[in-house]
Amino acid sequence: MTPIVTRFAPSPTGRLHVGNIRTALHNWMFAKANGGRFLLRIDDTDAARSEERFVEAIRVDLAWLGLTPDAEVRQSERFALYEARFDELVAAGRIYPAYETAQELDLKRKIQLGRGLPPVYDRAALALTDADRARLEGEGVQPHWRFRLDHDTAVEWDDLVRGDQRFEPATMSDPVVRRADGSWLYMLPSAIDDIDLGISHVVRGEDHVANTALQIQMFAALGATPPTFAHTALLTGSEGKLSKRLGSLGVDQLRESGIEPQAIRALLARLGTSDPVEPAVDMAPLLAGFDFGRFGRAPARFDEAELAQLNARVVHQLPLDAVRGRIPAGMEAEAWEAVRPNLSTVAEAADWWQVIEGPVDSPPVGEDADYLAAAAEAAAAIDWAADPWQALTAQLKQRTGRKGKALFLPLRRALTGRDHGPDMAALLPLIGRDRAVARLRQAVE
Ligand code: GLU
């Protein structure tokens, strides 16, 4: 059996955003679920648009997401390989020079469209003689290079998400693979790398489907069996197309808004599949049933509100070790576990730490003054070793006959300054006797 190898191939022209994080995740998951390897391929053939700071950001973002690659390659270090394979294809007549300017090509397209014909490249360059080419080059026209599609062989593949796919090469233009200045377009180096790196599965968005049809012929021309393909449906926003803002939402922004990597993974792993979204903190349950057969072909809806909700449910499960360094110094397991169920983000723990440590502003007590005076007295007298909240409320219930909200709410307000919050039974021991008595007294002063 061929070993499973996937790759995530971002161009370092910006930060990772929700769409390509999802692609990275799918590649990582498929590799890990099948005992395979996950490679990071930096597609930096375009020197003008690629930036080193984005390469670094991609590494940092993947590490934060827990999608660490098993190896990393950079296309800019592999030009010799592309050159060699390009030469072979030129020698075999599968790549040919073309001399049209962008304006000429544009005009050809307009004429075709005007006649109701598909705007497919007419292969005029294939009809040039050696003398024609020599003359053009003598005039200083440098050729760009096209891959000659094999019109006699339909392109077919069984896509893991989309099922049987079929394209007629005659309906497609011979793709330009190299520009006149010698620089590479994405398509050919990618196919060369997929062969050289032993990529068994190419997992990417369905915006690449037409590229795949072309690349499958490149694999054949290069003497290789194409990898297996999985093209996932694209993300959409809750109201149609993914907005520019949502679409460009970067890992850095998500992280700054308090979203945990586990929440991003849990959502993106299941979005667009027939499995429910669950607040999984570990990857194991997500990996267990991972299967492209469970992906739908309809666009997957990405909803920021859903991510925020899922994030809260993830935060409620995080152990202290996962949040240390991000919560106030001095906050230990007991305090973390007491406040955790009330958080939407880890950063909010600081608010509750302030409530525990004080000072707190207690709201006006109104008619509860006598009651709180009694509470202060009771709080000073009860045994704090066991369950002080139970002891305090039991005693006050007996002394005052209050129950329910009338019993609990004035205490919560005076002790925490708020109407809502973590379970008082967990909070009160953390506030402790001295602060609790002082707060109750202060409330009636
Ligand atoms: N660099 C390409 C992109 O980001 C890679 C596509 C692929 O997965 O082959 O679109």
Side-chain angles (χ1 to χ4, degrees), residues 75-98:
Q75 290 199 317
S76 59
E77 290 167 359
R78 302 168 59 80
F79 287 140
L81 174 66
Y82 308 150
E83 200 72 52
R85 305 245 53 195
F86 172 84
D87 289 347
E88 286 171 37
L89 292 176
V90 172
R94 291 304 301 271
I95 287 182
Y96 61 93

Side-chain angles (χ1 to χ4, degrees), residues 242-253:
L242 199 60
S243 70
K244 216 164 167 205
R245 194 193 66 78
L246 269 191
S248 63
L249 203 58
V251 173
D252 46 342
Q253 284 156 292

Side-chain angles (χ1 to χ4, degrees), residues 349-432:
D351 301 342
W352 294 111
W353 187 238
Q354 165 71 31
V355 165
I356 292 168
E357 293 278 287
V360 301
D361 296 323
S362 37
V365 295
E367 295 165 0
D368 293 318
D370 290 348
Y371 173 61
L372 290 171
E377 226 173 85
I382 55 164
D383 174 11
W384 279 76
D387 182 347
W389 179 248
Q390 159 64 26
L392 177 67
T393 52
Q395 207 182 100
L396 287 170
K397 188 173 182 177
Q398 202 189 22
R399 272 174 65 173
T400 66
R402 288 192 184 216
K403 50 185 195 247
K405 204 171 154 188
L407 178 70
F408 301 121
L409 190 57
L411 296 175
R412 179 183 282 281
R413 280 194 180 139
L415 288 165
T416 69
R418 303 179 184 211
D419 286 359
H420 304 281
D423 183 8
M424 285 303 297
L427 215 48
L428 192 56
L430 296 162
I431 294 171

Side-chain angles (χ1 to χ4, degrees), residues 208-230:
H208 280 289
V209 166
N211 289 341
T212 297
L214 303 171
Q215 286 175 323
I216 282 181
Q217 286 221 345
M218 294 180 191
F219 284 105
L222 291 161
T225 308
T228 301
F229 290 91

Side-chain angles (χ1 to χ4, degrees), residues 10-32:
S11 305
T13 55
R15 297 287 301 225
L16 296 185
H17 52 76
V18 172
N20 53 20
I21 295 166
R22 181 161 167 259
T23 297
L25 179 68
H26 290 155
N27 276 285
W28 184 88
M29 289 182 80
F30 186 76
K32 297 300 145 183

Side-chain angles (χ1 to χ4, degrees), residues 7-11 20 23 41 43 75 186 190 194 202-204 207-208 215:
R7 86 293 194 282
F8 172 51
S11 305
N20 53 20
T23 297
R41 188 184 83 199
D43 281 8
Q75 290 199 317
Y186 143 76
S190 179
D194 287 340
V202 169
V203 179
R204 54 192 182 188
D207 49 331
H208 280 289
Q215 286 175 323

Side-chain angles (χ1 to χ4, degrees), residues 324-347:
R324 244 189 244 283
R326 295 194 287 147
I327 57 174
M331 197 168 188
E332 288 300 324
E334 213 185 335
W336 167 246
E337 279 158 27
V339 307
R340 186 172 70 168
N342 281 73
L343 307 180
S344 318
T345 65
V346 171

Side-chain angles (χ1 to χ4, degrees), residues 1 13 22 98 134 170 185 195 261 281 302 305 335 337 360 390 395 440 445:
M1 259 189 45
T13 55
R22 181 161 167 259
L185 279 106
I195 297 168
V281 169
F302 175 75
E337 279 158 27
V360 301
Q390 159 64 26
Q395 207 182 100
L440 290 166
E445 263 170 17

